[in-house]
């Protein structure tokens, strides 16, 4: 059984990855998470009795802790999800993003570099560090522009995107300078179970259920490429197992949608799945709000490289995945309540779609 150290493994994508990776007996997951507002043990409840899952409450900025975990558990792979990830929060508090996404990445890489230097033989040959990043590092596309590829120049437009770009550069540098076997993945907008309800889709589902205004930034014409989180997790697993060291892989859902169209689809699904709602039709709850500063117009991923090299392509269509997601949130009110007990920071909550 191989051991994988998952950082940020109580968050949305990291939690789904931990849940997907642990069953079957192939992998033991050592899960490190700081349990900030978006990381919750509630997300890991499916693993609470699984002997192949070990949770440690801690921060990637704590190099001594990470070094101890590496020595104690001797992971075969490391997958880094740990990050501050919400654009609106980065506008309000950019320092938090520099601290975690840049300084934290440096501390993590330094600990891993030291650990890697102690490995030999098959353990060293098979080791992999996968850094999970975002398409936002590439900036914004126009309506007729080609989709982002792995060769698209970085042009981040928000403090969040800039901090993730910096972490990507650090990962790449540690591969080329120190020989650390690194892969970087840049994904499009994820959606699915366990996403903290400040992001567009879960926020709008929660608002619709409560009959509250469903906020949409600007004119609602911003375009995002939507990726079902379970498809994303499968892609990350393939990169971890088979990706060529030093390579970047773009992971996209192939589902470009205008935010306004996503909102209307959610309303229609809510009308169908929640017929007893006193707020039907839910579309009447849509409310346009002032656009956020520097709001990127369009993101779109060309995932041809990962399909060609690793045989991955998304299996979930957006309409089917969105329906599953709405149903999951309607069925899991207790999880939503548990993770939202803390007061939201700031006033801008997830209406951007990223």
């Amino acid at each position: 059984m191989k051991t994988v150290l998952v950082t940020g493994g109580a968050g949305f994508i990291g939690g789904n990855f931990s849940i997907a990776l642990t069953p079957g007996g192939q992998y033991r997951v050592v899960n490190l998470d700081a349990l900030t507002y978006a990381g919750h043990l509630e997300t890991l409840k499916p693993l609470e009795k699984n002997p192949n899952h070990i949770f440690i409450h801690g921060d990637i900025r704590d190099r001594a802790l990470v070094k101890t975990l590496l020595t104690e558990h001797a992971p075969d792979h490391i997958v880094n999800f740990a990050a501050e990830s919400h654009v609106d929060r980065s506008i309000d508090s950019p320092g938090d993003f520099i601290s975690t996404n840049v300084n934290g990445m440096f501390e993590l890489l330094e600990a891993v570099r030291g650990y890697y230097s102690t490995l030999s033989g098959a353990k060293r040959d098979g080791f992999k560090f996968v850094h999970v990043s975002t398409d936002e590092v590439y900036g914004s596309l126009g309506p007729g522009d080609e989709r982002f590829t792995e060769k698209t120049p970085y042009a981040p437009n928000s403090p969040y995107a800039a901090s993730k770009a910096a972490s990507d550069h650090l990962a790449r540098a540690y591969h080329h300078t120190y020989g650390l076997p690194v892969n970087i993945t840049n994904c499009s907008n994820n959606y699915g179970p366990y996403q903290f309800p400040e992001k567009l889709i879960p926020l709008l589902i929660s608002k619709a259920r409560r009959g509250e205004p469903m906020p949409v930034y600007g004119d609602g014409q911003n375009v995002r490429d939507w990726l079902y989180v379970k498809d994303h997790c499968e892609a990350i697993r393939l990169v971890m197992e088979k990706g060529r060291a030093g390579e970047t892989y773009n992971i996209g859902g192939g589902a470009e949608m205008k935010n306004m169209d996503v909102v209307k689809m959610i309303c229609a699904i809510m009308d169908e799945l929640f017929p007893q709602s006193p707020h039907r039709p839910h579309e009447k709850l849509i409310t346009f709000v002032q656009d956020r500063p520097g709001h990127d117009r369009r993101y779109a991923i060309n995932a041809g490289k990962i399909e060609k090299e690793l045989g991955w392509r998304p299996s979930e269509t957006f309409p089917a995945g969105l329906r599953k997601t709405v149903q999951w949130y309607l069925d899991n009110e207790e999880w939503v309540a548990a993770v939202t007990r803390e007061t939201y920071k700031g006033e801008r909550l997830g209406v951007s779609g990223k």
Side-chain angles (χ1 to χ4, degrees):
M1 183 181 296
K2 291 186 175 181
T3 297
V4 181
L5 173 62
V6 177
T7 64
F12 168 42
I13 306 174
N16 274 281
F17 183 75
S18 298
I19 292 168
L21 198 65
T22 306
Q26 185 178 2
Y27 291 105
R28 180 176 67 127
V29 170
V30 178
N31 191 332
L32 175 66
D33 198 290
L35 297 180
T36 57
Y37 77 95
H40 293 272
L41 292 178
E42 292 287 332
T43 298
L44 301 175
K45 272 197 169 182
L47 299 175
E48 63 183 355
K49 295 182 180 179
N50 192 317
N52 295 329
H53 178 258
I54 301 168
F55 179 78
I56 297 97
H57 182 198
D59 197 309
I60 60 170
R61 292 171 291 188
D62 186 346
R63 192 191 306 184
L65 171 62
V66 175
K67 289 173 69 174
T68 297
L69 295 178
L70 293 172
T71 300
E72 180 180 349
H73 297 286
D76 298 277
H77 308 300
I78 297 169
V79 183
N80 178 39
F81 297 94
E84 294 281 353
S85 65
H86 189 40
V87 175
D88 293 347
R89 288 177 185 266
S90 81
I91 294 171
D92 292 330
S93 304
D96 295 342
F97 287 71
I98 300 302
S99 178
T100 297
N101 299 355
V102 183
N103 297 337
M105 183 63 167
F106 167 70
E107 296 293 343
L108 177 62
L109 284 167
E110 277 292 280
V112 174
R113 178 166 73 97
Y115 169 70
Y116 181 66
S117 70
T118 69
L119 302 182
S120 61
K123 187 85 169 182
R124 182 180 177 90
D125 293 341
F127 181 78
K128 183 69 68 63
F129 179 99
V130 180
H131 173 57
V132 180
S133 190
T134 174
D135 57 0
E136 296 198 37
V137 298
Y138 298 124
S140 184
L141 292 170
D145 291 343
E146 294 294 322
R147 293 172 292 168
F148 300 133
T149 72
E150 290 80 1
K151 296 185 182 299
T152 301
Y154 277 25
N157 290 323
S158 69
Y160 162 61
S163 69
K164 289 298 288 184
S167 67
D168 293 4
H169 290 320
L170 282 170
R172 184 179 187 276
Y174 271 64
H175 169 71
H176 286 274
T177 302
Y178 303 114
L180 191 66
V182 167
N183 285 127
I184 299 168
T185 63
N186 296 96
C187 69
S188 58
N189 274 47
N190 278 227
Y191 69 101
Y194 301 111
Q195 188 171 31
F196 188 70
E198 67 181 353
K199 302 294 179 78
L200 181 71
I201 288 175
L203 175 74
L204 292 174
I205 295 169
S206 296
K207 293 285 189 182
R209 178 159 200 149
R210 296 193 299 265
E212 298 174 358
M214 300 172 67
V216 179
Y217 271 147
D219 60 5
Q221 300 303 297
N222 301 73
V223 174
R224 298 294 182 261
D225 177 5
W226 292 96
L227 171 65
Y228 193 57
V229 67
K230 295 183 180 181
D231 282 337
H232 187 197
C233 291
E234 174 61 14
I236 295 168
R237 184 187 65 80
L238 286 172
V239 171
M240 180 184 75
E241 294 174 345
K242 301 178 181 180
R244 290 185 293 131
E247 293 296 312
T248 293
Y249 294 93
N250 280 356
I251 305 171
E256 287 188 60
M257 298 286 296
K258 294 178 181 177
N259 284 351
M260 194 63 207
D261 292 337
V262 174
V263 178
K264 289 182 177 180
M265 288 178 69
I266 291 171
C267 290
I269 295 170
M270 286 290 294
D271 288 349
E272 178 187 352
L273 297 182
F274 193 26
Q276 69 272 33
S277 170
H279 311 296
R280 299 172 69 230
H282 293 91
E283 196 167 316
K284 69 185 179 183
L285 299 173
I286 296 173
T287 304
F288 291 95
V289 299
Q290 183 177 352
D291 209 351
R292 77 166 180 226
H295 195 180
D296 288 341
R297 196 63 171 173
R298 173 177 170 243
Y299 304 137
I301 284 282
N302 181 332
K305 179 178 177 178
I306 191 173
E307 180 176 356
K308 180 180 179 181
E309 291 194 11
L310 305 182
W312 177 89
R313 60 167 50 187
S315 61
E316 195 68 76
T317 66
F318 183 67
L322 185 61
R323 183 183 177 86
K324 289 180 180 178
T325 301
V326 173
Q327 187 67 66
W328 188 90
Y329 280 93
L330 291 177
D331 292 342
N332 288 272
E333 283 187 275
E334 290 184 5
W335 180 88
V336 175
V339 303
T340 55
R341 287 192 183 106
E342 298 179 23
T343 303
Y344 283 121
K345 183 196 282 184
E347 295 299 325
R348 293 191 290 271
L349 298 179
V351 291
S352 66
K354 185 77 171 193

